[in-house]
Amino acid sequence: MKIAVINGPNLNLLGTREPHIYGRTALAEIERLVRARAAERDVQVAWSQTNHEGEFVELIQGLAGTVDGALINAAAFTHTSLAVRDTLLAVRIPFVEVHLSNIFAREQDRRHSLLADLAVGVVAGFGPRSYLLGFDALVAHLVDRGG
Ligand code: DQA
């Protein structure tokens, strides 16, 4: 089984960015945690991060036929990007939406996701653990589906 983990804008700044909201764990450390979990489950991981919406779209377009599913933290694009929504509608890859923070307990503009209704499910509010919970849920979903 192979999954992609796609991270959106400013997640490269994790560790120093608004630590009272996002904690002090760097994205590279979250990647290490996810890769360790994936190795235990014999799952391959394709990891990426971009600050650019067009590149984010192209990363998702590239998933068709190359991975079984995806973990996606679209960061601010979650709340703004019809382009990312359209790509997920076009590509139709099973994905779990993850967020470090509980977006539903934050400012009004963050409480709505343009992607969530397309996701298998959403994990938000558990810090770096959101990625591991999302990973486990995605793998379980794909196994149930016979993937
Ligand atoms: C985030 C939440 C978003 O609202 C925000 O724009 C981010 C990070 C999270 O992981 O909590 O950049 O996706």
Side-chain angles (χ1 to χ4, degrees):
M1 185 183 294
K2 182 169 180 180
I3 68 150
V5 186
I6 304 184
N7 294 282
N10 298 306
L11 294 173
N12 56 315
L13 301 181
L14 286 179
T16 56
R17 171 195 182 203
E18 297 184 279
H20 57 292
I21 296 174
Y22 300 115
R24 296 207 177 268
T25 308
L27 190 63
E29 174 62 8
I30 298 176
E31 177 179 359
R32 197 189 63 72
L33 294 169
V34 170
R35 286 192 185 281
R37 178 71 60 98
E40 285 168 16
R41 305 290 308 271
D42 210 17
V43 173
Q44 283 177 267
V45 172
W47 185 278
S48 52
Q49 188 275 329
T50 178
N51 293 320
H52 305 279
E53 189 171 7
E55 197 176 328
F56 200 88
V57 162
E58 284 170 1
L59 283 167
I60 295 169
Q61 287 181 1
L63 299 182
T66 63
V67 297
D68 299 291
L71 268 191
I72 299 182
N73 186 350
F77 296 153
T78 307
H79 319 293
T80 62
S81 181
L82 271 181
V84 171
R85 178 180 176 81
D86 283 348
T87 313
L88 288 164
L89 280 167
V91 172
R92 280 293 180 200
I93 192 93
F95 75 97
V96 171
E97 175 176 333
V98 297
H99 300 283
L100 297 143
S101 63
N102 179 358
I103 57 170
F104 305 104
R106 297 187 60 192
E107 312 96 290
Q108 198 63 45
D109 285 347
R110 292 185 203 276
R111 291 185 194 169
H112 182 246
S113 166
L114 287 167
L115 317 178
D117 62 308
L118 307 177
V120 176
V122 179
V123 182
F126 297 96
R129 206 167 276 136
S130 290
Y131 282 74
L132 296 174
L133 293 166
F135 175 86
D136 288 346
L138 177 64
V139 171
H141 172 80
L142 294 172
V143 168
D144 284 352
R145 265 192 10 167

